[in-house]
Amino acid sequence: MKITLKVWRQKDANSKGAFKTYEHSHVSQDMSFLEMLDVLNNELVQKGEESIAFDHDCREGICGMCSLYINGRPHGPLQTTTCQLHMRSFKDGETITIEPWRAKAFPVVKDLVVDRSAFDRIQRAGGYVSVNTGGVPDANEIAIPKKIADEAFDAATCIGCGACVAACKNASAMLFVSAKVSQFALLPQGQPERKERVEKMVAQMDDEGFGACTNTKACEAECPKGISVANIARMNREYFSAITSSYEVMAKGGGD
Amino acid sequence: MNWLITLFTSTLGRKLLMALTGLFLILFLAVHLIGNLQLLKDDGGRAFNVYAEFMSTNPLIQIVSKGNFFFILLHIFISIVLTIKNRQARGTDRYAVTSGKSSIWSSRNMGILGTIVLVFLVVHLKHFWAEMHFGDMPKVTYDGTEYRDIYSLVAQWFAVPWYVALYVFCMAAVGFHLWHGFASSFQTLGLNHPKYNGIINFLGKTFSVVVPALFAWIPINMFFF
Ligand code: HEM
Ligand code: SF4
Ligand code: FES
């Protein structure tokens, strides 16, 4: 396969970036998208040019690092992570545009790499449960209905990739935050911090400068883990009931 | 009090106001339509004039009407705040390529659709509401009681081609606004549940087609028949 790549190149957070075009003729259908970029980077290095910086880690669809916006969609044409996307999803001779995630809260570090520590700060603000000391509890001591356990597990599969923010016309992080809120709100272990969790996480989300949800559902359609917008509705319920009934509110966000 | 400020300046609280005001406006549309349909009665405008007189003089309706104006202004004000904030959230560099594949058009263009509705509202209020309240209206007398003849004013405007075209076009915009907005407001309120999603979506789609279509049918009918 031969393809043309239009890639966003940006020296660092403070420089202005621009697209650069590359003709890439050593592409096989069986390569993953990231392998295709590896081959291109090898060629660039051999030519004495600087390689294209992009994020990746596990390359098996579980770490959420591979944040590329490909032809107008996060992670490209399939609802998966970029590392699980293969060149057979593209046509011979196609022009492929690769951009970084675009969000004020995800500043570009270099080329296609963005800083997603805003997500970490939201997590730190409330995405935890208190762990009690004492004797080891019996397994299955706390009864949880199967359906509820499944719901919580589904929410917990969010890998924090940020595709929801990238896909959203408002760069809203509500799918991510709602997944993290739901995962604990559904389970008995999450009850002690239930109200303050949602208040703090939403406050931190707003502080980071993410947008508001218009319910376009683009996030759900692009999320590699299929997180449902039903979680956003749950987060809204949790938030409205928490803020109208909680005793102590320290909703300034706990992150830095 | 602090928590109230936190609530209504949060993204979620702003959306809550959007959804509540939006739902109120939906109710208003339904009531308004029932009134308008009397224009189609073949009685020289009597039923409509009597109804309009009642609506513009009854004290209870006047209170609801004030509330309605307030909610429209609130809906518009928050929509502007949200739209600006949401644009800022994208950052200074915007995407060069975007795809419309993962969401429906109306959901991405609520601002544009709302602006068309707003233009319509201004024109509409100027021609009918302001005339009725402050204008020099022609009078008719039914059974010895004098009424303002709003019917003939409506009939006069609904004979103007550009006015009818604008009216129909704007009703289409209302339809698209609600095609997304109706169900969206329930999602915002947190009502997303397999037991109710079916009925909410069905009601939303039906309302967003039938109500604007009936609104638009009235000027079309009066123009051609
Ligand atoms: C008859 C008049 C109107 C009705 C019935 C109506 C109804 C609604 C409803 C039900 C929603 C969904 C709320 C939600 O997602 O929770 C909505 C959203 C919206 N409306 Fe309206 N609306 C009307 C007029 C307007 C006007 C005049 C404007 C602006 C000038 C406007 C701008 C918007 C915007 C921008 C949104 C999306 C907000 C967001 O989610 O980001 N609407 N509307
Ligand atoms: S909700 Fe989905 S798209 Fe968003 S961060 Fe989690 S896994 Fe990624
Ligand atoms: S590299 Fe880990 S999910 Fe793609």
Side-chain angles (χ1 to χ4, degrees):
Chain A
M1 279 174 88
K2 274 194 167 82
I3 52 168
T4 305
L5 291 172
K6 278 179 68 185
V7 183
W8 183 261
R9 303 298 311 257
Q10 183 171 336
K11 197 159 158 283
D12 53 42
N14 303 317
S15 318
K16 260 202 93 57
F19 283 102
K20 200 161 175 209
T21 306
Y22 300 92
E23 301 297 332
H24 194 348
S25 44
H26 299 113
V27 181
S28 140
Q29 287 199 9
D30 301 324
M31 283 176 175
S32 79
F33 199 85
L34 297 186
E35 284 165 344
M36 179 277 290
L37 287 176
D38 291 338
V39 173
L40 177 67
N41 271 345
N42 270 337
E43 290 175 6
L44 290 179
V45 170
Q46 273 166 14
K47 279 196 275 183
E49 288 177 41
E50 194 169 349
S51 56
I52 300 163
F54 61 90
D55 257 335
H56 60 105
D57 190 9
C58 70
R59 297 212 177 192
E60 53 185 11
I62 53 169
C63 75
M65 282 305 280
C66 47
S67 54
L68 300 183
Y69 197 80
I70 303 162
N71 282 348
R73 299 178 72 178
H75 300 137
L78 300 183
Q79 194 184 352
T80 180
T81 54
T82 308
C83 57
Q84 301 304 299
L85 178 70
H86 290 80
M87 294 313 292
R88 54 180 167 270
S89 296
F90 298 89
K91 289 192 292 288
D92 195 17
E94 192 169 341
T95 300
I96 303 171
T97 308
I98 314 177
E99 302 175 69
W101 283 178
R102 295 278 186 218
K104 199 175 90 193
F106 288 163
V108 173
V109 175
K110 185 178 166 64
D111 295 342
L112 302 168
V113 178
V114 298
D115 177 359
R116 277 172 296 171
S117 46
F119 270 12
D120 301 336
R121 288 188 293 271
I122 296 174
Q123 272 292 68
R124 242 190 292 160
Y128 51 79
V129 294
S130 46
V131 176
N132 305 313
T133 54
V136 180
D138 283 344
N140 297 326
E141 192 190 18
I142 307 170
I144 302 170
K146 172 85 168 77
K147 181 77 189 117
I148 300 295
D150 287 350
E151 266 315 273
F153 184 80
D154 283 350
T157 58
C158 163
I159 52 178
C161 64
C164 41
V165 174
C168 176
K169 79 175 181 63
N170 308 328
S172 167
M174 289 207 192
L175 196 63
F176 165 79
V177 179
S178 70
K180 300 303 175 196
V181 165
S182 290
Q183 161 192 351
F184 295 127
L186 284 161
L187 297 177
Q189 291 87 341
Q191 298 314 302
E193 299 89 358
R194 184 169 177 177
K195 286 180 181 173
E196 66 173 74
R197 174 182 304 114
V198 65
E199 286 186 61
K200 285 181 174 174
M201 289 180 86
V202 168
Q204 189 66 36
M205 169 180 87
D206 289 353
D207 264 9
E208 298 289 349
F210 291 106
C213 178
T214 303
N215 302 326
T216 69
K217 301 187 186 167
C219 52
E220 179 183 87
E222 299 291 359
C223 170
K225 297 295 151 183
I227 303 290
S228 159
V229 293
N231 289 301
I232 299 184
R234 181 181 297 108
M235 173 176 73
N236 293 3
R237 288 199 297 278
E238 292 286 324
Y239 184 73
F240 299 143
S241 73
I243 201 160
T244 47
S245 68
S246 62
Y247 286 103
E248 270 177 59
V249 200
M250 292 253 304
K252 279 276 164 278
D256 320 314
Chain B
M1 278 310 276
N2 247 341
W3 65 272
L4 273 177
I5 295 169
T6 308
L7 172 60
F8 290 118
T9 52
S10 71
T11 46
L12 265 59
R14 290 201 176 108
K15 279 298 317 230
L16 176 66
L17 290 177
M18 272 321 266
L20 290 175
T21 51
L23 281 174
F24 183 85
L25 293 177
I26 285 173
L27 263 172
F28 159 74
L29 280 185
V31 175
H32 196 317
L33 176 65
I34 296 169
N36 281 18
L37 285 173
Q38 302 180 63
L39 283 164
L40 296 178
K41 268 199 185 165
D42 203 8
D43 61 357
R46 178 171 177 159
F48 185 72
N49 279 338
V50 172
Y51 160 81
E53 194 70 39
F54 170 76
M55 292 304 262
S56 68
T57 48
N58 182 291
L60 199 67
I61 302 282
Q62 287 315 296
I63 296 170
V64 179
S65 158
K66 296 275 182 312
N68 195 31
F69 274 109
F70 175 70
F71 288 142
I72 287 189
L73 290 178
L74 192 60
H75 191 81
I76 294 170
F77 174 71
I78 300 168
S79 83
I80 294 169
V81 174
L82 280 174
T83 306
I84 292 173
K85 293 244 171 214
N86 288 344
R87 276 187 72 87
Q88 284 171 349
R90 176 96 295 149
T92 38
D93 283 315
R94 311 187 74 79
Y95 288 122
V97 183
T98 47
S99 150
K101 287 212 176 82
S102 44
S103 56
I104 59 168
W105 182 86
S106 56
S107 75
R108 282 176 273 124
N109 292 282
M110 291 298 274
I112 294 171
L113 291 166
T115 308
I116 299 173
V117 178
L118 178 62
V119 170
F120 173 79
L121 277 175
V122 172
V123 174
H124 182 74
L125 287 174
K126 177 176 174 295
H127 286 161
F128 298 134
W129 180 83
E131 281 300 317
M132 185 75 175
H133 284 260
F134 317 115
D136 194 12
M137 295 287 292
K139 302 281 190 311
V140 282
T141 309
Y142 305 123
D143 304 331
T145 319
E146 199 175 64
Y147 291 89
R148 285 165 291 178
D149 190 12
I150 182 92
Y151 176 84
S152 57
L153 185 68
V154 174
Q156 180 194 324
W157 278 110
F158 284 179
V160 181
W162 71 262
Y163 197 86
V164 174
L166 177 79
Y167 199 103
V168 173
F169 173 75
C170 291
M171 285 308 116
V174 172
F176 279 105
H177 198 75
L178 295 184
W179 184 261
H180 172 69
F182 192 105
S184 174
S185 56
F186 287 91
Q187 162 80 5
T188 301
L189 295 179
L191 219 161
N192 178 327
H193 192 287
K195 280 182 181 159
Y196 310 106
N197 289 351
I199 183 77
I200 292 171
N201 283 326
F202 174 76
L203 279 178
K205 305 283 184 236
T206 313
F207 190 96
S208 63
V209 172
V210 172
V211 171
L214 285 174
F215 265 116
W217 171 243
I218 296 166
I220 294 176
N221 182 289
M222 289 173 70
F223 185 79
F224 288 106
F225 308 108

